[in-house]
Each structure stands twice: as C-alpha cells, then as structure tokens.
Amino acid sequence: MDTGQMRSIARDILDGRSDSTIEEYRRITKRLDGEQWHDYATARNVSKRYGYLLRAAYRHRLADLLRESLRAADRERKAGNRDTALVHRHQAEELAKILQGKEPEYHPVGPRRSRKTSKRKSLAGLPPDWREQVIGALKEADRVPAVVLALTGCRPAEFREGVLLERDDEDLKVTILGAKVSDLTRGGQEQRVLTFDGADPLVHWLLEHPGWQDGRLVAGGDLGAWRKRFTRAAARLGFKKISPYSLRHQFSGDQKARGWNDDRLSQALGQASARTRKHYGHARQGRGSGGLKSVTATRAVRNAQTPIPGQSPAPTPEPIPTPTPVLDLDLDLDLDTGPSPE
C-alpha cells in the first residue's frame, strides 16, 4: 500500500468533522483507554446506538494515529534515519489494514438494565411538599439553585453554564442551553425555552429576587459543594435517597400527571428522542406543580409518538451574558418548611 493510499484512508475518516464531534470522540477514546471498541461494548452490553459511537470514535483515533505515523516516517526519512522511518512506515501500514478491514457487527445481548429508573424510585413515599421542605431547610444562599432546578427540571450541568430568566408580562420565561447535545447523533436540545405561570409559588419567589436587571436574571455557577449540602438537607428531613437529580424526575412526573406525556415533555427535558422521557418520573408521582405553560426547542422530537400540531423551533434569544452565580439572597422563602440547618 503506497503512502498516498494511506493518507487518503486517514483523510476520509478525519476530515469534515465538527469540533463538537471531535471533542465527543476524544471523551470516548479516553473512556476506552486502549480497549478495542467491540470488546468494550460487549463487556458492558451497551446500546446499539452507543456501540456505533464507540466504533466511530475508535476508528477516528486509529486514523489520527495513521496520519501521525506517516508524518513521523516522513520526518525521519528527511533526517536520514532510515531504520526509524521504516518502523513508523510499518506502523502506518498496520493501522491502514485495520481501518480497511471489516469491522465486527455489534448487537446488545438480552434486555438492558436502565440506569435511570433507579433515580425516579427515590420519589416513592415522599410527601407532596418534599421540594418545598428541602428548599426551606437549605441556607438562604443555597436556595436559588434548588428553586431553579425544581421549577425547570434542568440538569445541574445546564445550571452551571447559566440559566437565563426573563420577565414575560406576569409570567417567567426561562432559556436553557442543553448539556447533552451531539451533532453526530442529533441527540439533545441545543436550546429550549420554557414559559411558566407567574402565579406558581416558585415562579413568584424568583420574580421577587432582588438581582433582576432590565427584566433579566442569570442563575448559574458550579454546584459541586452545593450538591452535598442539598443531599444533607434532604437527609435531615428523612429523605435519605434524594439528590439534586430527583428534582428533574419530580418535574417530569408533575408534567405527566397533568397530561403532558408527549413531545412537549421531551423538549422541556432537553431531549430529542420521544423514547427517553419514559425514564423520568411517573404520572402517579405527580405532586401538583403545574406552572409550565409552554415550551419550544431547537429540534423536533425524533420517533415522535404524540407530536404537537404546529410545533415550531424556539427563536434564538440574545446571547446569554456570562453567568454570575446569584446565590446571596435577602428574601424569606414563603414556605412552612420545618427546621432550619444548624
């Protein structure tokens, strides 16, 4: 195989990939840690879709090594190091053969255990006002993240990047940038906009926050240490299995209980697949929070089971300003929530 053919093999795999796809491949390559993709997938019985991602990332890494081997061989040849150049050339040929060979097919074996169902089980047996109790048990400076996560169902990683709150007459409009977005698989929602009824107690509490400027407020910041404080506050109330992600499951359960178990819920959760929402909350776990009035998102929901007539993508708002954590409050939460932390 000549050098031109090997360069063509590498170029066909490496070129034309977006930055986000390359970054995703790098994360997967790090996870593989040198293990062949098919062995990794089989040992863990991953989904067929994720097996495809593993294969693509693995081949991208081999193509990158092929290109580097060819470049190294060229450098050593020009430097007069013939033997070293031949070693790199041999490595390039072996990599090219692997990339040209037929890849094994992958099929998951038997039913796969869902990792998401266990988290929603933490909601079983909780009182209707468990969220309000936990929020009230937090110190004042820790309540904003809890209120935003409880109201919107956003992921903690999305809160970290900044959630834009805007006044919409008497209501509240919330813009969230998605944390699990893939250009490769078209997964996730790059952006979603949720509108909430201003009469909802959590919405009213946020609208009374003193940090509003020109009708906008950005809530965001790292939640690393806050997660532990949230979990400890819940545990003091006897809610032993509650974590910040439980707020997302509760949000989903509330929407399902009010009849929103359709593509609106998928978009509100930041998902682009109709199948994914089944893992989040049960309708019987709904606890009456129905403040969500509307939702739009950048992508239509795939495999739509209950599409929304006339659904259109959300308009792109002005860029969200650099998030400044808004965690210092002077407001009393209007909730009877039990004992305060020591």
Side-chain angles (χ1 to χ4, degrees), residues 17-26 60 182-185:
R17 302 293 185 269
S18 68
D19 291 342
S20 61
T21 297
I22 292 172
E23 182 58 33
E24 186 167 8
Y25 284 164
R26 286 174 178 166
H60 190 273
S182 171
D183 291 335
L184 179 66
T185 64

Side-chain angles (χ1 to χ4, degrees), residues 84-144:
T84 307
L86 287 174
V87 170
H88 288 298
R89 167 78 184 199
H90 178 71
Q91 291 174 342
E93 290 175 346
E94 291 299 315
L95 290 166
K97 288 179 182 177
I98 295 174
L99 289 170
Q100 277 197 316
K102 184 178 180 180
E103 291 280 357
E105 294 185 4
Y106 172 71
H107 300 283
V109 179
R112 298 178 59 251
R113 180 182 63 86
S114 171
R115 295 178 298 170
K116 296 180 180 179
T117 55
S118 61
K119 294 180 181 178
R120 64 181 176 183
K121 289 180 180 177
S122 65
L123 303 181
L126 293 178
D129 64 341
W130 76 266
R131 286 168 296 193
E132 289 80 0
Q133 289 192 43
V134 176
I135 291 170
L138 291 168
K139 292 182 179 179
E140 194 74 22
D142 284 339
R143 290 178 180 173
V144 165

Side-chain angles (χ1 to χ4, degrees), residues 30-317:
K30 185 176 180 181
R31 197 171 301 140
L32 287 172
D33 194 23
E35 190 174 355
Q36 204 271 352
W37 75 269
H38 193 270
D39 294 341
Y40 182 98
T42 302
R44 293 159 180 81
N45 197 33
V46 303
S47 68
K48 190 171 184 178
R49 178 178 169 186
Y50 190 62
Y52 167 79
L53 270 177
L54 291 172
R55 175 183 179 274
Y58 184 77
R59 287 177 59 80
H60 190 273
R61 175 58 178 160
L62 292 185
D64 191 42
L65 292 173
L66 171 57
R67 177 178 283 180
E68 288 301 316
S69 295
L70 290 171
R71 289 173 176 172
D74 192 49
R75 286 195 303 269
E76 295 298 329
R77 180 182 58 79
K78 290 179 179 179
N81 301 323
R82 184 174 180 275
D83 290 342
T84 307
L86 287 174
V87 170
H88 288 298
R89 167 78 184 199
H90 178 71
Q91 291 174 342
E93 290 175 346
E94 291 299 315
L95 290 166
K97 288 179 182 177
I98 295 174
L99 289 170
Q100 277 197 316
K102 184 178 180 180
E103 291 280 357
E105 294 185 4
Y106 172 71
H107 300 283
V109 179
R112 298 178 59 251
R113 180 182 63 86
S114 171
R115 295 178 298 170
K116 296 180 180 179
T117 55
S118 61
K119 294 180 181 178
R120 64 181 176 183
K121 289 180 180 177
S122 65
L123 303 181
L126 293 178
D129 64 341
W130 76 266
R131 286 168 296 193
E132 289 80 0
Q133 289 192 43
V134 176
I135 291 170
L138 291 168
K139 292 182 179 179
E140 194 74 22
D142 284 339
R143 290 178 180 173
V144 165
V147 173
V148 172
L149 266 63
L151 178 68
T152 67
C154 75
R155 303 175 178 95
E158 293 167 338
F159 181 90
R160 182 179 64 242
E161 297 304 316
V163 175
L164 175 63
L165 312 178
E166 296 177 283
R167 295 182 184 274
D168 186 13
D169 293 329
E170 299 296 323
D171 297 332
L172 175 68
K173 184 171 75 173
V174 181
T175 302
I176 303 169
L177 300 182
K180 290 189 175 181
V181 181
S182 171
D183 291 335
L184 179 66
T185 64
R186 303 294 294 170
Q189 298 289 352
E190 183 178 355
Q191 176 180 282
R192 59 193 189 272
V193 179
L194 291 73
T195 301
F196 294 91
D197 191 334
D200 183 274
L202 294 180
V203 174
H204 178 75
W205 188 81
L206 285 171
L207 290 173
E208 293 297 314
H209 186 274
W212 288 83
Q213 294 183 354
D214 299 323
R216 286 185 163 199
L217 178 67
V218 177
D222 184 74
L223 296 179
W226 176 87
R227 293 171 187 256
K228 295 180 180 179
R229 296 195 293 272
F230 179 91
T231 302
R232 286 198 295 265
R236 285 195 296 269
L237 294 167
F239 310 149
K240 301 296 184 181
K241 297 181 180 181
I242 290 300
S243 71
Y245 221 81
S246 301
L247 295 171
R248 180 168 167 82
H249 285 275
Q250 185 62 70
F251 170 83
S252 180
D254 289 342
Q255 308 317 314
K256 289 180 179 180
R258 59 189 289 230
W260 276 40
N261 191 11
D262 53 31
D263 292 350
R264 291 171 297 183
L265 177 56
S266 295
Q267 291 181 326
L269 290 169
Q271 299 162 352
S273 171
R275 294 177 297 179
T276 311
R277 64 175 177 260
K278 68 182 180 181
H279 299 297
Y280 290 83
H282 287 294
R284 62 176 178 271
Q285 294 172 331
R287 288 173 169 82
S289 179
L292 182 60
K293 296 177 68 174
S294 66
V295 56
T296 54
T298 50
R299 290 176 177 169
V301 177
R302 296 191 316 274
N303 306 315
Q305 299 158 351
T306 48
I308 310 164
Q311 178 68 60
S312 59
T316 302

